[in-house]
Amino acid sequence: MPDIDLNALLGAAGPLAEAIPGFRHRPQQVEMAQAILAAIEGESVAVLEAGTGTGKTVAYLVPALLAGGKVIVSTGTKNLQDQLFHRDIPAVRRALRAPVTVALLKGRSNYVCHYHLERAVADGRLQSREDVRYLRMIGSTHKTTPSGDRAEFAGIPESATVWSQVTSTRENCLGQECPHHKDCYVLAARRDALEADVVVVNHHLFFADVVLKDEGMAELLPACNTVILDEAHQLPETARMFFGQTVGSAMLMDLARDALSEGHAGARDAADWADLTRALENAVRDVRIALPENPVRVAYAQLARREPLDDAMARMLARFLDMGRVLEANAARAEGLEALWRRAQELAVLVDRWCGQRAPEGQGEAQGQDSAPVRWVEVFGHSFQLHLTPMSIAPLFRGQVESEKRAWIFTSATLAVKNDFSLYLGELGLDKVASTRAQVWPSPFDYARQALLYVPRNMPEPTAPEFNGRVVEEALPLIEAANRSGPAGTFMLFTTLRGMNRAHELLAELLPRHGLELPLLLQGQGSRTELLDRFRKLGNAILVASQSFWEGVDVKGDALKLVVIDKLPFAPPDDPVLSARIDEMKRQGRNAFMEYQLPRAAITLKQGAGRLIRDENDQGVLVICDTRLTDKPYGRRLWQALPPMRRTRERAAAQAFLAGEGTDSSPTIAATSASDD
């Protein structure tokens, strides 16, 4: 391994400072890079929390690009993945003059499929005129795109339903039987990834491959020397999803409809495909009828009526087997029928496994006898999903980490609670990996000068009917104060969609009454990227949002000067997996609230609060409208987990701070730090 002088490279006169505009020497960044380099050299595990402004991306890219060996960098979203590949890595690589090759790899649903594009054009089954227009645009652009990546198809919104018709899935890909196999964009991306020194993926792709061995990394991981997992706070939830299994009514209905189409095209004389399809579709609908009428998430054991569901599931499985037998008998007649037969087999296994509450093959032994998967259902208006989720993913994930000797780097701005990594390490099983080292670097920002935490007095209980109205009433004078000296933007972050929508209705009604002619944006009115672009350009907008905007959002300057959070973000009580875990901890004589629920809420709250100060010149107010933060004994643990900003209970002090009227000497403002008792 080459000798790497990180102090020189990341110093004020180093190559990065010369090449990257706005680059600043940060001691925390150098220390973090040194810890990462040590982990790479020692093939060990490093769990690293780096506060906002530390420059963690550069801190891990410099040793990753210079240390040699194959590196996989996984991040939380496709947007961050694109940013790493197109902006961050090229800038660092140029500055270091590092002769490394880099590849971008996404899941197959991000690439146009030649075969399914042809089928969509020929079939013509489109839901709207917009879809017809989008299909023409996709057909035209794909002839010139080098990668077939969705990111290159400008003008096709994320909500366009036609996109799913022009991509392949693991189930309907024809593989080597496809007439366009040699031109396949997915295979081209995988070949590039195999040959590259650095491969950029996202967490969903990473875990899909770890579990399914199908998304293009099955050959990458064994040859990899270093895995860097950015935005690593998302990993427990993502891993839980992939180590579990889900089968939904939409998947079953899609198979039935595809069987009708493929059957008529490839084996019209083999069966009455319409009858087979209708029988399966009716059986799926019967399962929905046997489930609760209203949308709900509930454990199977808690269902009031289980016998009707069991009977309906048995009938659905029987219809599945009927369809499977016909597909098997005709699989040799067409590639599409063979792919459907394999798909039907896999779905039948998933349904049968759910009925028997059996963990996926090989997981039962890894989890141990005391951690059976949680069987639960998610019911929507006209559809449903059946879930089997492991109560703990710790033994499963630890097995992946220990399976090969390599470096594992976990990094995020929110992994610990007051420098305590116990929850995070325990969730991933890293507390039992001997080589694990955990470390925190606080943000270099001057929070005591730049930010104020305001908790209003006399707020109703978060469960009270009038709570959302009071949150809006509290926000309005602060929004006015923030815009007094110039345009300023506001985030209003809610823990539920219901609260978000109610607040948006009230704001739309009350803003004009208060003489505030400000743009009002709502999560869901466009893609997250589109909404953020509009928010930044407007400069004085109010964005009302829920979970999607609590993390991974970077708005600098006065474009975001006020962040209002309605409630402490405790996980919803209707989460069947959380309920099962709490019950298990109680059986073990442990305090589930203090050991699990409270630390999780603290980490989520840190994420939401982290939207406010993104630059050393930012200033703003964080409002948390939940008085449990100050009134409950556990509230101290939550605010101590936040950045060390000053805090107040007086609205006038928050208004003065937002208006830039100077509040350093105000007796209503107290300094706070992580060490306060």
Side-chain angles (χ1 to χ4, degrees):
M1 185 173 290
D3 185 30
I4 302 170
D5 186 349
L6 291 170
N7 276 302
L9 293 172
L10 295 167
L16 289 156
E18 290 181 12
I20 299 177
F23 181 88
R24 289 176 177 81
H25 168 66
R26 303 176 181 93
Q28 301 97 322
Q29 186 181 63
V30 176
E31 291 176 15
M32 183 179 176
Q34 289 169 336
I36 291 169
L37 182 60
I40 293 173
E41 291 174 341
E43 296 181 314
S44 58
V45 177
V47 181
L48 311 173
E49 177 174 296
T52 306
T54 303
K56 64 182 172 66
T57 303
V58 170
Y60 66 68
L61 284 179
V62 171
L65 297 184
L66 296 179
K70 194 174 189 75
V71 180
I72 293 175
V73 180
S74 180
T75 192
T77 65
K78 286 178 284 189
N79 288 338
L80 290 173
Q81 193 182 355
D82 286 332
Q83 178 181 309
L84 265 174
F85 180 74
H86 293 293
R87 192 184 78 184
D88 298 337
I89 292 179
V92 175
R93 182 172 55 178
R94 282 193 301 270
L96 299 176
R97 298 180 181 175
V100 296
T101 55
V102 186
L104 179 69
L105 184 61
K106 299 180 181 179
R108 63 167 75 244
S109 65
N110 292 278
Y111 301 96
V112 168
C113 170
H114 295 78
Y115 174 77
H116 287 286
L117 176 59
E118 282 185 358
R119 290 288 304 274
V121 172
D123 196 8
R125 289 189 301 168
L126 299 172
Q127 296 181 15
S128 66
R129 291 182 180 178
E130 279 193 333
D131 278 351
V132 173
R133 181 165 61 88
Y134 294 147
L135 183 61
R136 289 196 189 115
M137 291 169 64
I138 293 169
S140 173
T141 304
H142 113 96
K143 296 174 183 176
T144 58
T145 174
S147 69
D149 184 349
R150 181 170 188 165
E152 296 182 3
F153 289 77
I156 309 296
E158 292 181 20
S159 58
T161 55
V162 72
W163 185 262
S164 63
Q165 297 183 42
V166 300
T167 61
S168 68
T169 66
R170 177 171 174 264
E171 292 79 16
N172 67 20
C173 174
L174 299 182
Q176 294 187 355
E177 304 300 321
C178 179
H180 301 283
H181 184 260
K182 291 182 179 178
D183 301 318
C184 178
Y185 294 123
V186 174
L187 292 181
R190 291 179 177 182
R191 285 193 297 269
D192 289 346
L194 283 172
E195 296 169 3
D197 301 308
V198 178
V199 185
V200 183
V201 300
N202 60 63
H203 297 337
H204 281 76
L205 174 61
F206 183 85
F207 281 106
D209 183 76
V210 164
V211 178
L212 302 174
K213 304 297 183 191
D214 181 67
E215 292 293 340
M217 285 173 49
E219 297 172 80
L220 281 177
L221 202 53
C224 171
N225 303 94
T226 302
V227 176
I228 298 173
L229 297 149
D230 198 353
E231 299 297 316
H233 62 278
Q234 298 177 4
L235 293 180
E237 195 61 38
T238 307
R240 194 172 287 113
M241 176 171 54
F242 279 100
F243 282 122
Q245 68 166 51
T246 297
V247 57
S249 54
M251 299 165 67
L252 308 174
M253 289 290 202
D254 284 348
L255 181 127
R257 290 161 190 156
D258 289 349
L260 178 64
S261 175
E262 293 287 352
H264 282 166
R268 182 178 289 272
D269 59 332
D272 188 330
W273 294 99
D275 275 357
L276 278 171
T277 299
R278 193 179 306 111
L280 180 53
E281 289 178 339
N282 288 338
V284 174
R285 292 190 185 100
D286 287 344
V287 171
R288 174 61 189 91
I289 292 169
L291 289 165
E293 182 177 346
N294 297 320
V296 70
R297 307 166 81 213
V298 60
Y300 171 81
Q302 295 175 331
L303 286 169
R305 299 168 64 248
R306 294 195 289 273
E307 189 174 336
L309 176 61
D310 293 341
D311 293 342
M313 291 290 294
R315 291 194 299 274
M316 184 179 76
L317 191 55
R319 300 293 78 75
F320 234 98
L321 295 175
D322 291 343
M323 177 77 77
R325 281 189 287 270
V326 176
L327 290 170
E328 181 182 13
N330 294 277
R333 297 178 65 173
E335 294 92 343
L337 289 171
E338 183 177 359
L340 272 173
W341 173 46
R342 292 195 302 268
R343 190 168 142 201
Q345 285 179 301
E346 291 177 5
L347 285 173
V349 167
L350 292 179
V351 173
D352 181 62
R353 194 178 284 153
W354 190 88
C355 291
Q357 198 177 1
R358 293 187 298 278
E361 190 174 344
Q363 287 190 17
E365 299 80 2
Q367 288 179 264
Q369 297 300 313
D370 298 330
S371 188
V374 180
R375 178 166 49 153
W376 57 287
V377 297
E378 195 165 11
V379 183
F380 308 97
H382 300 287
S383 62
F384 62 86
Q385 289 186 333
L386 310 172
H387 302 272
L388 271 182
T389 306
M391 195 183 306
S392 170
I393 57 150
L396 301 168
F397 190 79
R398 184 175 71 247
Q400 293 295 328
V401 171
E402 295 179 330
S403 63
E404 298 280 348
K405 192 68 175 170
R406 63 171 62 89
W408 290 79
I409 314 298
F410 301 80
T411 184
S412 168
T414 53
L415 296 177
V417 180
K418 204 179 174 184
N419 297 338
D420 181 0
F421 287 89
S422 299
L423 174 67
Y424 187 78
L425 296 178
E427 283 200 289
L428 293 181
L430 300 176
D431 53 339
K432 292 183 169 60
V433 177
S435 68
T436 298
R437 297 290 180 270
Q439 195 167 352
V440 173
W441 287 273
S443 169
F445 297 154
D446 184 358
Y447 279 95
R449 176 184 61 83
Q450 294 178 251
L452 179 69
L453 168 62
Y454 167 47
V455 181
R457 297 183 188 276
N458 303 318
M459 288 293 292
E461 289 293 317
T463 54
E466 68 271 22
F467 181 77
N468 286 321
R470 288 293 306 280
V471 170
V472 172
E473 287 175 12
E474 195 61 51
L476 285 167
L478 300 175
I479 293 169
E480 186 277 328
N483 284 272
R484 200 176 293 163
S485 58
T490 301
F491 269 9
M492 295 193 65
L493 301 177
F494 291 82
T495 53
T496 65
L497 291 174
R498 179 182 297 176
M500 176 191 81
N501 288 322
R502 178 58 181 150
H504 180 261
E505 291 172 4
L506 291 170
L507 282 165
E509 176 186 335
L510 295 175
L511 282 170
R513 292 189 197 172
H514 285 71
L516 295 171
E517 297 181 4
L518 301 172
L520 183 60
L521 308 179
L522 177 67
Q523 176 183 311
Q525 290 178 336
S527 72
R528 192 169 88 149
T529 301
E530 291 166 344
L531 279 175
L532 279 174
D533 286 344
R534 287 177 62 196
F535 184 85
R536 290 189 185 100
K537 289 173 183 174
L538 288 165
N540 64 343
I542 303 167
L543 174 61
V544 186
S546 184
Q547 210 65 32
S548 294
F549 287 83
W550 278 66
E551 60 179 86
V553 175
D554 190 12
V555 181
K556 294 183 174 68
D558 286 349
L560 181 54
K561 199 172 181 178
L562 175 64
V563 173
V564 180
I565 292 175
D566 69 333
K567 302 176 187 177
L568 299 178
F570 288 106
D574 67 343
D575 184 330
V577 182
L578 174 63
S579 297
R581 181 156 190 164
I582 290 171
D583 290 344
E584 177 64 21
M585 292 180 77
K586 287 179 179 176
R587 279 193 291 271
Q588 297 170 359
R590 298 163 62 190
N591 188 325
F593 180 78
M594 296 302 290
E595 290 183 44
Y596 188 67
Q597 292 168 276
L598 188 63
R600 281 188 68 184
I603 288 173
T604 305
L605 189 63
K606 279 173 69 177
Q607 278 290 334
R611 299 316 98 215
L612 182 64
I613 303 299
R614 307 300 299 177
D615 186 89
E616 57 264 28
N617 296 316
D618 284 358
Q619 283 197 318
V621 170
L622 170 67
V623 185
I624 300 177
C625 297
D626 192 334
T627 56
R628 289 178 295 179
L629 191 68
T630 54
D631 298 347
K632 298 292 185 183
Y634 60 76
R636 181 180 298 272
R637 285 190 61 183
L638 291 169
W639 62 252
Q640 285 180 340
L642 296 173
M645 58 187 74
R646 287 175 291 165
R647 62 188 191 274
T648 185
R649 301 298 305 277
E650 305 299 332
R651 183 196 294 169
Q655 289 174 291
F657 192 96
L658 286 165
E661 295 171 2
T663 54
D664 287 351
S665 60
S666 171
T668 63
I669 296 179
T672 179
S673 74
S675 61
D676 262 347
D677 290 319

